[in-house]
Amino acid sequence: MKVFQEIISNYVFVSIGLSWFMAQFIKGIRGIFKEKSIKGFRRIVTNGGMPSSHASSVSALCVASVIMYGFSSFQFAFSFLFALIVMNDALGVRYETGKHSKVLK
């Protein structure tokens, strides 16, 4: 029980979890409107699509580390580099996926 209390009292960890959940929840809501059915809410548990839950998670990590430790900290430097790598990779994957879909169509 003590471990759970420590986890939920960790500001950075809670920020990451909330941003991931919000991104997934927004996907579900958008799915309902896109498919015009409650079945669209199943997108809450699927991968891919926008908003990107992994990009929002690393963004939350970066912002939370600035708030907690400041711009001159190792934590911010590491999380910022990690965020750049994740977002650059996500952009590259989306670009290549777009190229493949054009060829397949």
Side-chain angles (χ1 to χ4, degrees), residues 21-104:
F21 177 78
M22 289 301 295
Q24 290 297 107
F25 187 76
I26 290 168
K27 283 182 198 180
I29 298 299
R30 287 182 64 203
I32 290 171
F33 287 108
K34 203 173 212 180
E35 295 182 22
K36 296 180 177 57
S37 168
I38 195 70
K39 290 181 181 178
F41 198 68
R42 67 177 171 243
R43 291 179 189 221
I44 198 168
V45 293
T46 61
N47 294 327
M50 285 297 284
S52 171
S53 55
H54 64 283
S56 69
S57 297
V58 294
S59 297
L61 171 66
C62 194
V63 171
S65 66
V66 166
I67 292 170
M68 291 294 294
Y69 306 109
F71 284 102
S72 61
S73 67
F74 168 78
Q75 290 89 341
F76 170 68
F78 184 80
S79 64
F80 184 74
L81 179 63
F82 183 56
L84 286 177
I85 291 169
V86 168
M87 289 184 217
N88 184 45
D89 185 55
L91 284 173
V93 168
R94 291 185 194 284
Y95 176 72
E96 290 298 323
T97 303
K99 284 181 15 182
H100 286 280
S101 70
K102 285 180 185 175
V103 169
L104 292 173

